[in-house]
Amino acid sequence: MAVCVAVIAKENYPLYIRSIPTENELKFHYMVHTSLDVVDEKISAMGKALVDQRELYLGLLYPTEDYKVYGYVTNSKVKFVMVVDSSNTALRDNEIRSMFRKLHNSYTDVMCNPFYNPGDRIQSRAFDSMVTSMMIQVC
Amino acid sequence: MSPTQWDFPVELCCRPMAFVTLTGLDVVYNAVHRAVWDAFCANRRADRVPISFKVLPGDHEYPKCRPKRTSYEWYIPKGILKTGWMNKHLNLVPALVVVFYELDWDEPQWKEKQSECATRVEIVRQSLQGRNTKVAVVLIQKKTPLPPGEDVTASERAAALCNACELSGKSLFVLPHTDHLVGYIIRLENAFYEHAQTYYYTEIRRVKSHKEFLNKTTHQLLFVRHQFKIAFFSELKQDTQNALKNYRTAYNLVHELRAHETNILEIKTMAGFINYKASVTYPNPDPLETQTGVLDFYGQRSWRQGVLSFDLSDPEKEKVGILAIQLKERSVVHSEIIITLLSNAVAQFKKYKCPRMKSHLMVQMGEEYYYAKDYTKALKLLDYVMCDYRSEGWWTLLTSILTTALKCSYLMAQLKDYITYSLELLGRASTLKDDQKSRIEKNLINVLMNESPDPEPDCDVLAVKTAQKLWSDRVSLAGSGVFTIGVQDFVPFVQCKAKFHAPSFHVDVPVRFDIYLKADCPHPIRFSKLCVSFNNQEYNQFCVIEEATKASEVLENLTQGKMCLVPGKTRKFLFKFVAKTEDVGKKIEITSVDLVLGHETGRCVVLNWQGGGGDAASSQEALQASRSFKRRPKLPDNELHWDSIVIQASTMIISRVPNISVHLRHDPPALTNEMYCLVVTVESHEKTRIRDVKLTAGLKPGQDANLTQKTHVSLHGTELCDESYPALLTDIPVGDLHPGEQLEKMLYVRCGTVGSRMFLVYVSYLINTTIEDKEIVCKCHKDETVTIETVFPFDVAVKFVSTKFEHLERVYADIPFLLMTDLLSASPWALTIVSSELQLAPSMTPVDQLESQVDKVVLQTGESASECFCLRCPSVGNVEGGVATGHYIISWKRTSAMGNVPVISTAVTLPHVIVENIPLHVNADLPSFGRVRESLPVRYHLQNKTSLVQDVEISVEPSDAFMFSGLKQIRLRILPGTEQEMLYNFYPLMAGYQQLPSLNVNLLRFPHFTNQLLRRFIPTSIFVKPQGRLVDDTSIAAA
């Protein structure tokens, strides 16, 4: 389903990034990193007034030949970026949206862990397996 | 340069010209025809009409015209514009076909020739079936024609020929083969041009006529196609204005197209074409003669041509197709083009504020330069973007960039860069595997030992050869120096933290601090020197560890090698030094820590940490560590968790703790203006003699400035101090003190105003002490502050009363009154009034002696002392605000004060008094008491105080208690300044306090003079004693 899932801290450094092992990992890192430009722009375009009722899902950030990059930003400015194969036509906006929601829930669980120090890299088995399930489904 | 798919096709770029074909010319064998053709071709300058000519055989097959559609109802276009269309109209379908035929008007075999010509025209017409292409006939004649109208045969035969060929007269031309060939040709050309324009005009009309059959839903693409065609035909017609107009319309129509990922490239390409057409002002035809691909429609994918559905029918095919294109791309790797495109992209993303995209492209550019073997540029670009990735903490990406950069620096044998990148690739930010790290570390050690490193993997073989040569050159150039690398901008593999043991140190104890070092590389690494620099550089010499020095005392817990850092272990180095006494009160800061790897004699790297350590990543790490609640696993006693070490890069040097006591003895509160005595006792508890004891005492600085003016301090209590004395006495030398000795110093403070003041007593001294076998002279000081309240010693109340002790609002001129002073002690201590003095103003005169009545009186708290003076005030006329009375001066001291303590004089300004003149003063002479039935003589004196003669009416009203004799009612005159006596004899009838018969005086000139006023001067009652018993003492005895 997804070929790369990333969680980016408020300060824009990666908290978690995982891509399918068959592809060049570096490529996805670059892709996620460059997508932050669009995320930044979208966040700043939303303005401060509508912070409360704004939509967390940012939609398609940018398409490339092979992939589509989607973004999601939490209220605490933690960003989720998901890269999906562009040939995968089964994935519509709604599916992506629900995947992000799942990711957010799982991230919230990680944050609720009293032993997790916010800002550290995410090392959670539950989160890992959730991401794995999102990446496997179609492959 | 071969054209890529991104270049515009030739047919788009060339200048469209009307296409005219010439048939019937044998340019190879016939010299005449050759000359004609040359005249058409040669010298085609700008002044000639824009026509593109082509010689074709008479039986040439022109492209077949497709059967015309009658309805568009079921037609669905497969794309915007077919690839062949432009070429077709530029080079294949002519606007005009010219048939050349050799025929003179006087041709003997006219009939045969005429029908042959008609056949040729017919053949041309056949192959142009269905097209609107015009046909013209040119007769090549040997004779010069006669002027029109003169040759009758000519006009007859011409009409016949037109008839036979089904031509209009305008389409038949004559070309005499004479000297003026070029002139004729130009005239012909112009005629052809007109025909061509007519042709293109009809073509435009034809395309326009399709429009009404189209609908917006299915024929969106056709709108663009038709608009483009109209514009293109206009261009062929050389109608620039309409062409531009139509291209613009087409461009707008392109925008309305439904764009989807599958057709976005097609739309983009067409938009680009149209935009090009609309903006380029007709350039000369591109000389490149290349046919572009074999696509039917521009910008469509070859594996799904003409597919309009947005959903991809065959994703597998799509994937393969994309892969194929990418493969094709790979086979034409051309770094230069890529770099140019990338740099354009960088500029674009920079403009639209996408810093990360820009960085990514710059990385790609750098890598492309690396492939192109331009390592200098590659390194420059990579170095530029590294800090962006570093500051955002994308370590994977940073590692990848660093790896490429390391390769570049290796291939160029750039020592410093090579070392810097190695340092970071070995550090904790690097995501390299341990085996890679080991390899890099080994190389780094080699470089530091002045040897060549092993080549980096996956480098170009030839480049490696060159690099090896460069490196060996470097080696032979021995001693190529010391590289100082500031680490604050990157993440090296050695971390450093400096920590003073305390935020402040007393000057008599050594300053101690630790330097913690930790290596992150896979193997232990040796260093040759560790030194610390301070803001006061004199301490630098004490904080150096070198291989040569005996390091055992500063290194703790040595497992192996003194100067060796074991990966992952925190190593602590303790330093201590004795602070200079001049630095007391100053801050000592670590400005930098230098760690030397390699040997200073050969190659070495100096890692330089600014301040107390820390690099590009450590601040974020420290923040995370401080947030963490995680309990760290227990380590052996002398080991520390790196994260738990907090940098403390500065400390204060403070003076030695004093070992003396300072006591103050005094009796508060202070009284205003007195010499208030403060006894300071200093006692030394030091072990040795203290020297140069100095006392600073007085008003503590920093209080209200007015207090400084009104406070004076003196060491001598025997004399009063005045304004010239300071508020603070500084550095009074009091000599030396032996251990246990104590000294006392008296201090006198004079406070001129009431209120509370802070006083400071500051004792400083010098003492010799020894630390770390060094003798130093320490300056110690101790201070005490005390707050002292100042109060008035007494309150003075003054009042004016009449001689009858009645309160007076005002006094009357020349009439005596009393001044009463009342001194109420407010001091908690007993006061001795030494004396008092009344200093009268010149306007006042004493009635009797002004002797002090309170001399030597001692007043306890709350007691008061009063005095009374009888005064008179001569007439002064009307003075605004009253008349000054004078001063009351009290000389006093504390009763407890010693004899030599000066007496303080306090002057009280007496209030002003209002003086009023009265016209008549009356006073009475009468005994102090009366006795029943004994005559009581009373004499009233009436004094005229005016300069006028006064008429006075006097009457005495009878009283029950008295009988009296004298004038009961009288009217008399009193001359100015004189007085009149009235004598009465009162005879009291009752005992007790009795009302006298009241005297009423009425001044005729001064109606305001009332009896009320009069009563102030004369008594109104008298005490009458009962009749005495002395006379009839016997009768009582008898009774």
Side-chain angles (χ1 to χ4, degrees), chain B residues 784-799:
Chain B
E784 286 283 328
T785 42
V786 63
T787 304
I788 296 172
E789 196 78 29
T790 305
V791 296
F792 284 122
F794 39 69
D795 292 325
V796 178
V798 178
K799 58 187 177 189

Side-chain angles (χ1 to χ4, degrees), chain B residues 231-299:
Chain B
F232 196 78
F233 281 130
S234 304
E235 235 186 324
L236 284 165
K237 197 181 155 227
Q238 308 304 320
D239 184 354
T240 319
Q241 273 193 341
N242 275 321
L244 190 62
K245 200 180 90 190
N246 286 307
Y247 279 130
R248 280 194 183 141
T249 319
Y251 191 73
N252 291 337
L253 288 169
V254 167
H255 277 288
E256 288 170 21
L257 292 181
R258 277 187 294 270
H260 189 264
E261 278 167 53
T262 52
N263 69 345
I264 192 90
L265 180 65
E266 183 180 2
I267 291 176
K268 200 196 87 181
T269 307
M270 275 316 294
F273 283 10
I274 295 168
N275 194 30
Y276 171 82
K277 276 290 188 194
S279 56
V280 168
T281 46
Y282 308 99
N284 286 323
D286 197 326
L288 292 174
E289 285 178 293
T290 34
Q291 206 75 29
T292 44
V294 284
L295 294 177
D296 280 352
F297 292 95
Y298 286 113

Side-chain angles (χ1 to χ4, degrees), chain B residues 696-714:
Chain B
T696 295
L699 192 70
K700 191 177 181 179
Q703 298 181 74
D704 189 353
N706 294 334
L707 288 181
T708 318
Q709 307 277 324
K710 292 290 180 191
T711 311
H712 307 285
V713 186
S714 162

Side-chain angles (χ1 to χ4, degrees), chain B residues 948-1007:
Chain B
L948 301 166
V949 175
Q950 301 257 27
D951 282 322
V952 186
E953 274 181 12
I954 300 165
S955 63
V956 178
E957 283 188 18
S959 161
D960 289 346
F962 293 92
M963 288 194 297
F964 70 94
S965 66
L967 295 167
K968 193 181 176 195
Q969 188 161 16
I970 189 169
R971 188 179 180 142
L972 50 88
R973 275 190 181 160
I974 306 171
L975 295 176
T978 61
E979 70 169 49
Q980 186 72 47
E981 262 184 27
M982 302 287 292
L983 187 71
Y984 291 90
N985 224 340
F986 291 154
Y987 190 74
L989 300 174
M990 284 178 262
Y993 207 69
Q994 298 295 347
Q995 194 95 36
L996 286 170
S998 66
L999 176 78
N1000 294 330
V1001 176
N1002 189 18
L1003 299 182
L1004 297 177
R1005 284 181 185 269
F1006 297 94

Side-chain angles (χ1 to χ4, degrees), chain B residues 663-666 676-681 744-747:
Chain B
H663 285 292
L664 300 177
R665 217 171 63 233
H666 58 120
Y676 184 68
C677 181
L678 207 63
V679 183
V680 181
T681 314
E744 221 176 58
K745 195 87 188 162
M746 305 256 237
L747 211 73

Side-chain angles (χ1 to χ4, degrees), chain B residues 205-221:
Chain B
R205 292 283 301 273
R206 188 175 60 79
V207 177
K208 271 185 185 167
S209 69
H210 296 328
K211 258 193 194 169
E212 52 196 283
F213 302 111
L214 306 182
N215 65 62
K216 282 265 177 190
T217 49
T218 50
H219 299 128
Q220 246 197 339
L221 300 177

